[in-house]
Amino acid sequence: MKKTAIIFLLLTFMTVGLWASGDQEAKSEKKGNTIFIITPSHDNPFFKTEAVAADDEATKMGYATTVLSHDDDANLQDQQFDTAIAAGALAIIVDNAGADATIGPVRRAKEAGIPSFLIDREINETGLAVSQIVSNNYQGAVIGAEKFVELMGEKGKFVELVGKESDTNAGIRSKGYHEILDQYPALEMVARQSANWSQTEAYEKMESILQANPDIKGVICGNDTMAMGAMAALKAAGMGDVIVVGFDGSNDVRDSILAGDIKATVLQTCAYNARLAVQQADKYIKTGSTGAPEKQLTDCVLIDSSNAEKLDNFVLEQ
């Protein structure tokens, strides 16, 4: 009886193993040769740059690509992940639509055997995405704030425009700014408002803030599009000499710096990060590992009048 029971158990394990193997093969058979690239709106040059960089890198490696924009709409992003899963994508490169809202889609993709590689924005959970490659937003905010303090002469009233509150980066950048700014008691923050990363909202918020605070000396912004909106509102009010500092390193702000309007920004190497994500996806597809930790930070670079000429499409010429 004992021998019979052992044989039965061995047959059972072998059968389960064959089922598991067969399931894996079924998943593999469903997969095509496509990498999905999902980002926020390409109307923002930052997101367009990372989408184009990822697309170029994947195409160069011989993959087909599907490039989509979720417009920061978590529901639309959900649908796009489902499309990628149904299509049997090889991998998903995503600049996500929310640190919490993206946990579910990334988990569904993982359960379907499709690895996700996050760029620019993290999610509030580890162990689901293969890579989370983001700029060192805290380090970037610190060097941006140090430049702002220098430009302000360590004193005066200022305004802070922050990004979308649900976005992890908005909080990290603001925290990095205040790590420096709060050390200077003669710097007085008279308003802190979210413009949701939007140039239009920044213009409107700035118009409103100026009515109550016509004597501000500086504006520090969580991204470049808000900096452009703030600068436009200041110039419309005849206050183009107010110090404005942004964050991203866009060509628009580069040109503004060279024109003497916006004074500085912080470059995020988004094109590099997007290419790196595709390279890691390729390695993972071929070997099952990236050889790198899930959380990866890339340092930011201060851009001002001394080096703005060397900046083009989020790449600083060395």
Side-chain angles (χ1 to χ4, degrees):
M1 289 293 291
K2 189 174 180 182
K3 185 176 179 181
T4 304
I6 290 171
I7 291 171
F8 174 76
L9 286 171
L10 284 172
L11 286 171
T12 301
F13 287 139
M14 288 172 67
T15 304
V16 169
L18 286 171
W19 283 347
S21 174
D23 185 54
Q24 189 59 46
E25 285 175 5
K27 284 178 181 175
S28 299
E29 285 171 2
K30 286 180 184 174
K31 289 193 174 183
N33 187 43
T34 302
I35 291 179
F36 273 63
I37 299 161
I38 304 174
T39 70
S41 171
H42 297 179
D43 289 343
N44 184 319
F46 180 90
F47 302 125
K48 182 177 181 180
T49 295
E50 62 184 12
V52 168
D55 187 26
D56 285 349
E57 191 72 9
T59 302
K60 192 168 63 180
M61 290 179 168
Y63 294 104
T65 60
T66 297
V67 181
L68 302 171
S69 170
H70 53 58
D71 291 332
D72 278 315
D73 180 336
N75 292 326
L76 179 57
Q77 179 185 251
D78 252 18
Q79 296 167 18
Q80 292 170 344
F81 263 75
D82 288 341
T83 300
I85 292 167
L90 279 178
I92 300 172
I93 311 294
V94 58
D95 188 340
N96 72 71
D100 289 318
T102 309
I103 292 172
V106 171
R107 178 181 283 115
R108 290 203 307 279
K110 182 180 181 182
E111 289 171 353
I114 300 171
S116 297
F117 299 81
L118 275 57
I119 52 175
D120 182 41
R121 303 171 181 174
E122 301 169 77
I123 56 173
N124 290 328
E125 195 159 322
T126 57
L128 298 178
V130 174
S131 298
Q132 299 197 49
I133 304 170
V134 300
S135 299
N136 191 336
N137 285 278
Y138 186 83
Q139 171 263 346
V142 165
I143 61 175
E146 288 173 342
K147 185 65 179 180
F148 187 72
V149 169
E150 175 192 324
L151 292 164
M152 292 284 288
E154 303 183 6
K155 62 184 178 183
K157 295 180 179 180
F158 74 94
V159 172
E160 181 188 5
L161 293 180
V162 299
K164 192 182 287 289
E165 299 284 9
S166 62
D167 187 333
T168 306
N169 289 346
I172 294 174
R173 290 177 195 175
S174 184
K175 187 177 179 182
Y177 283 158
H178 285 276
E179 177 68 28
I180 301 301
L181 301 177
D182 295 351
Q183 297 178 33
Y184 296 88
L187 283 173
E188 180 187 357
M189 185 170 69
V190 295
R192 179 182 184 275
Q193 294 189 23
S194 172
N196 293 307
W197 305 127
S198 162
Q199 186 166 333
T200 302
E201 273 196 56
Y203 185 95
E204 293 168 353
K205 293 283 175 71
M206 205 65 236
E207 273 189 321
S208 175
I209 291 169
L210 286 176
Q211 291 176 12
N213 302 279
D215 55 346
I216 62 165
K217 186 178 174 183
V219 183
I220 191 164
C221 305
N223 76 347
D224 277 356
T225 50
M226 293 191 296
M228 291 295 290
M231 191 73 239
L234 288 163
K235 291 182 80 170
M239 297 174 65
D241 58 343
V242 168
I243 295 158
V244 176
V245 169
F247 197 117
D248 280 340
S250 69
N251 282 0
D252 286 341
V253 166
R254 173 203 63 190
D255 294 342
S256 182
I257 292 171
L258 293 174
D261 293 333
I262 291 175
K263 297 296 183 275
T265 185
V266 175
L267 170 64
Q268 293 190 85
T269 55
C270 65
Y272 170 80
N273 292 356
R275 291 193 187 97
L276 181 61
V278 173
Q279 291 162 9
Q280 292 190 3
D282 175 63
K283 188 172 182 181
Y284 186 85
I285 290 165
K286 292 173 177 171
T287 70
S289 172
T290 66
E294 178 183 336
K295 294 264 191 173
Q296 301 165 55
L297 294 176
T298 55
D299 277 349
C300 301
V301 181
L302 182 73
I303 302 295
D304 59 14
S305 57
S306 68
N307 60 356
E309 278 187 337
K310 297 179 180 177
L311 180 65
D312 187 33
N313 285 327
F314 301 95
V315 176
L316 185 66
E317 179 189 335
Q318 299 299 315

